[in-house]
C-alpha cells in the first residue's frame, strides 16, 4: 500500500529527481507538466557541476552546493544501473582561464581562499577544495590554439559535468518504467486548499487531488503561487568537436565551454538576461558566445555550428533556492535553483524526501524558506 498520494508540479530535473526519490520511499505520485516532462530549463542547461569554478562565496549555500557535488557520482551511477541509460557524468575538472592580470589575481586569490577554508575551517573539512594555477606555457602544450590574452588558469579538479539531456532522458525512462502517473500538456492554474491545507491542484483539464504537493515549476513558479521567482534567460550554442580536442570544461568570464564525455558536441554558454519570457536566440547573444569561444580557442572559428537554444533559469530575489514547507500545509516548494539546478538536484531531493517521509528538517530549510521574502 502506498504511503500517500503526492502531486509534483513540473517535470524538470528537480521534479523528476524528487519523483524518483519519493517513489522509492513508497509514495503514489502524479507528475503534472504544462509541456512535456524532461525538458524545461533543465534540458537547456550546460550540466556543469561547478561550485568552485562559479566562484561562490564561502557560506552555507556553497556548502550545500559542495554536498550535492559530492553526491553526484553515486546519484548518476544508481540511475545508470536502474535504467541502463548512460548520463555521461564526468569529473573532468574545470579550468578557469584569466584574460588579464586583474582576473589572474582574482582567480588565484579565490583558489587560495578555497584551499585555506578546506584546510582550516571545520565546516568544510570533508570537502576537497583543492585547485592549481596552470601557466600559459603549460596550457599551450595541451590545446591546439590558445587565445592571445590568456595568462594561464586555475584548475579545480573536483568540479565536473553531467550530460543533463541524457540525465533527463534517464530520469524520464525511470518514471515511465515505474508507471508513475504522468499528465503532460496539463497546465496547473492554481492550488486548491481547504482550511489552510493542500487539497488539489487546479489544472486546465480539471482538478487533481492528493495528500501533498511539490511545486517544482522552475521559472514559472510565480505564476502558480505568489512568491518572487522570475526567469533569467540564457542562450546557448553547440559546435562540432574532435575527440579529445578539449579535455575539460573551460569556465571564464567570457563563456563556458563544455566538451561532452562522448565528444558528440561542444556546448557553449551562456548569456544571462532579465527579459522575462522572451523566446528565441538573438544575434547579440550568439555573437557573445562565439566571441567567448574564439577568444579562448581561436582555431574553433573553423568549426561547424550544430545548434542554438535558450532557456529560463528560475531566479529568486536573492538568487538562492526556495525549498521546504509553504504556508499551505502539505504544499512543499522546490524551486529557484537559478544557475545551479542540475548540480543541486540530488541534495534537493534528499532534503525534500526526508522532510515529507520522515518529518526530518534539514538545517538548510531555514536558509531556503519562502518566508525570507515577506
Ligand atoms: C542556459 C542555462 C544554462 C544552465 N547551466 C547550468 C549548469 O551548467 N549547471 C547547473 O547546475 N545548472 C544550470 N542551469 C540552471 C538549471 O538549468 C536550472 O536551475 C534547473 O534546470 C531548474 O530545474 P527545474 O526542474 O526547477 O526547472 P525546469 O527544468 O524549468 O522545469 C520546470 C518544469 O515545470 C513545468 N511547468 C511550469 N509551469 C507549469 C504549470 N503551470 N503547470 C505545469 N507544469 C509547469 C515546465 O514545463 C517544466 O517542465 C542553467 C540554466 C540555463 C537556462
Amino acid at each position: 500500500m502506498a504511503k500517500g498520494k503526492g502531486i509534483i508540479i513540473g517535470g524538470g530535473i528537480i521534479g523528476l529527481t524528487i519523483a524518483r526519490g519519493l517513489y522509492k520511499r513508497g509514495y503514489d505520485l502524479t507528475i503534472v507538466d504544462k509541456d512535456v516532462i524532461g525538458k524545461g530549463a533543465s534540458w537547456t542547461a550546460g550540466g556543469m557541476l561547478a561550485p568552485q569554478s562559479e566562484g561562490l562565496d564561502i557560506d552555507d549555500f556553497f556548502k550545500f552546493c559542495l554536498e550535492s557535488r559530492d553526491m553526484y557520482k553515486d546519484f548518476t551511477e544508481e540511475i545508470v544501473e536502474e535504467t541502463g541509460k548512460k548520463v555521461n557524468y564526468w569529473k573532468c575538472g574545470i579550468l578557469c582561464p584569466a584574460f588579464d592580470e586583474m582576473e589572474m589575481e582574482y582567480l588565484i586569490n579565490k583558489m587560495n581562499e578555497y584551499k585555506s577554508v578546506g584546510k582550516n575551517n571545520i565546516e568544510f573539512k570533508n570537502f576537497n577544495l583543492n585547485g592549481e594555477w596552470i601557466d600559459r606555457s603549460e596550457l599551450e602544450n595541451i590545446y591546439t590554439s590558445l587565445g592571445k590574452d590568456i595568462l594561464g588558469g586555475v584548475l579545480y579538479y573536483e568540479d565536473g559535468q553531467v550530460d543533463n539531456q541524457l540525465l533527463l532522458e534517464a530520469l524520464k525512462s525511470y518514471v515511465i518504467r515505474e508507471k508513475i502517473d504522468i499528465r503532460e500538456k496539463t497546465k496547473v492554474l492554481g492550488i486548491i486548499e481547504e482550511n489552510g491545507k493542500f487539497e488539489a491542484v487546479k489544472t486546465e483539464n480539471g482538478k487533481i487531488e492528493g495528500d501533498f504537493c511539490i511545486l517544482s515549476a522552475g521559472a514559472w513558479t510565480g505564476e502558480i503561487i505568489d512568491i518572487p521567482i522570475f526567469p533569467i534567460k540564457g542562450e546557448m550554442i553547440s559546435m562540432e568537436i574532435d575527440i579529445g580536442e578539449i579535455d575539460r570544461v573551460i569556465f571564464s568570464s567570457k563563456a563556458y565551454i563544455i566538451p561532452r564525455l562522448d565528444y558528440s558536441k561542444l556546448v557553449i554558454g551562456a548569456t544571462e538576461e532579465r527579459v522575462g519570457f522572451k523566446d528565441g536566440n538573438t544575434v547579440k547573444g550568439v555573437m557573445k558566445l562565439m566571441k567567448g569561444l574564439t577568444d579562448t580557442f581561436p582555431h574553433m572559428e573553423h568549426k561547424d555550428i550544430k545548434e542554438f537554444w535558450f532557456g529560463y533559469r528560475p531566479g529568486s530575489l536573492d538568487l538562492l533556492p526556495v525549498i521546504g514547507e509553504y504556508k499551505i500545509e502539505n504544499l512543499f516548494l522546490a524551486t529557484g535553483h537559478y544557475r545551479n539546478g542540475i548540480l543541486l538536484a540530488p541534495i534537493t531531493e534528499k532534503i525534500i524526501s526526508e522532510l515529507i517521509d520522515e518529518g526530518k528538517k534539514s538545517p538548510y530549510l531555514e536558509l531556503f524558506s519562502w518566508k525570507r521574502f515577506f
Side-chain angles (χ1 to χ4, degrees):
M1 237 227 351
K3 283 181 177 171
K5 179 169 179 198
I7 299 165
I8 297 175
I9 306 173
I13 186 120
I14 300 297
L16 291 180
T17 305
I18 291 173
R20 171 177 169 269
L22 285 176
Y23 177 79
K24 282 169 179 280
R25 287 172 181 257
Y27 288 90
D28 179 17
L29 301 163
T30 295
I31 306 170
V32 192
D33 202 294
K34 69 177 172 62
D35 189 5
V36 292
I37 64 165
K39 296 279 191 228
S42 307
W43 180 262
T44 68
M48 290 181 301
L49 312 170
Q52 286 178 275
S53 313
E54 286 262 337
L56 296 176
D57 292 340
I58 311 287
D59 58 16
D60 285 343
F61 178 64
F62 181 51
K63 199 170 152 215
F64 188 65
C65 290
L66 292 172
E67 277 187 40
S68 209
R69 185 179 73 177
D70 283 356
M71 293 168 78
Y72 238 88
K73 183 169 180 290
D74 289 350
F75 172 60
T76 49
E77 274 176 10
E78 282 171 18
I79 292 172
V80 169
E81 204 180 307
E82 288 161 6
T83 63
K85 301 222 176 253
K86 55 182 186 169
V87 303
N88 290 356
Y89 165 69
W90 187 14
K91 204 175 97 178
C92 51
I94 299 188
L95 178 79
C96 305
F99 286 84
D100 57 40
E101 298 274 342
M102 230 170 80
E103 201 165 32
M104 182 168 90
E105 196 185 324
Y106 167 80
L107 286 171
I108 292 176
N109 285 343
K110 197 81 208 174
M111 173 188 75
N112 287 335
E113 188 189 4
Y114 286 147
K115 280 166 119 172
S116 153
V117 162
K119 267 197 213 120
N120 305 321
N121 185 329
I122 184 99
E123 291 273 309
F124 291 87
K125 73 172 184 344
N126 291 330
F127 303 111
N128 182 343
L129 291 180
N130 281 344
E132 190 190 351
W133 172 259
I134 316 264
D135 260 331
R136 179 180 173 98
S137 56
E138 223 178 299
L139 295 179
E140 278 173 348
N141 290 331
I142 304 172
Y143 300 110
T144 313
S145 69
L146 199 63
K148 63 177 176 30
D149 295 331
I150 294 179
L151 302 173
V154 167
L155 174 56
Y156 290 116
Y157 296 98
E158 297 298 310
D159 280 353
Q161 60 159 305
V162 66
D163 187 326
N164 45 295
Q165 297 186 350
L166 294 181
L167 178 56
L168 284 166
E169 283 296 330
L171 285 166
K172 185 174 163 180
S173 79
Y174 180 91
V175 296
I176 291 172
R177 193 195 62 194
E178 299 302 339
K179 299 196 170 46
I180 291 175
D181 180 27
I182 299 163
R183 314 274 182 98
E184 295 185 319
K185 302 282 172 202
T186 304
K187 185 172 181 178
V188 171
L189 304 172
I191 304 293
I192 303 171
E193 58 171 302
E194 203 173 293
N195 301 325
K197 255 188 159 174
F198 172 78
E199 174 100 352
V201 295
K202 182 179 169 200
T203 81
E204 55 191 1
N205 303 328
K207 81 178 183 179
I208 309 172
E209 291 179 353
D211 300 314
F212 64 91
C213 175
I214 294 141
L215 182 47
S216 49
W220 297 267
T221 302
E223 294 178 358
I224 302 171
I225 60 165
D226 184 21
I227 57 165
I229 302 279
F230 50 91
I232 302 179
K233 185 178 171 185
E235 295 187 43
M236 305 273 284
I237 55 176
S238 73
M239 322 276 294
E240 60 156 1
I241 179 171
D242 294 332
I243 291 174
E245 193 170 4
I246 299 173
D247 57 345
R248 53 174 52 98
V249 175
I250 313 292
F251 183 118
S252 81
S253 49
K254 291 177 182 275
Y256 43 77
I257 298 167
I258 309 166
R260 291 302 187 209
L261 177 67
D262 56 6
Y263 286 98
S264 55
K265 63 174 85 158
L266 182 69
V267 174
I268 299 114
T271 61
E272 205 170 305
E273 275 189 299
R274 298 183 185 209
V275 289
F277 292 108
K278 187 172 174 289
D279 288 359
N281 281 93
T282 60
V283 173
K284 186 176 150 215
V286 170
M287 277 173 59
K288 181 179 186 302
L289 299 177
M290 302 234 177
K291 185 167 183 325
L293 174 66
T294 53
D295 281 357
T296 313
F297 298 121
H299 78 284
M300 293 302 289
E301 71 180 1
H302 301 294
K303 297 278 175 178
D304 285 350
I305 299 166
K306 284 171 88 86
E307 305 147 301
F308 303 101
W309 68 94
F310 60 91
Y312 299 108
R313 303 173 186 89
S316 72
L317 280 183
D318 57 8
L319 301 176
L320 292 179
V322 183
I323 305 175
E325 291 163 308
Y326 188 53
K327 63 183 169 189
I328 299 171
E329 201 181 324
N330 294 335
L331 175 61
F332 301 89
L333 310 180
T335 183
H337 291 81
Y338 181 41
R339 291 172 64 91
N340 289 298
I342 306 299
L343 168 68
L344 294 173
I347 195 159
T348 302
E349 181 280 310
K350 181 171 184 281
I351 64 175
I352 283 284
S353 292
E354 286 178 352
L355 179 64
I356 292 172
D357 193 37
E358 302 166 32
K360 187 171 158 188
K361 296 200 175 181
S362 156
Y364 289 117
L365 291 171
E366 208 178 309
L367 178 65
F368 301 138
S369 167
W370 63 277
K371 288 183 187 154
R372 68 190 193 270
F373 303 122
F374 294 93

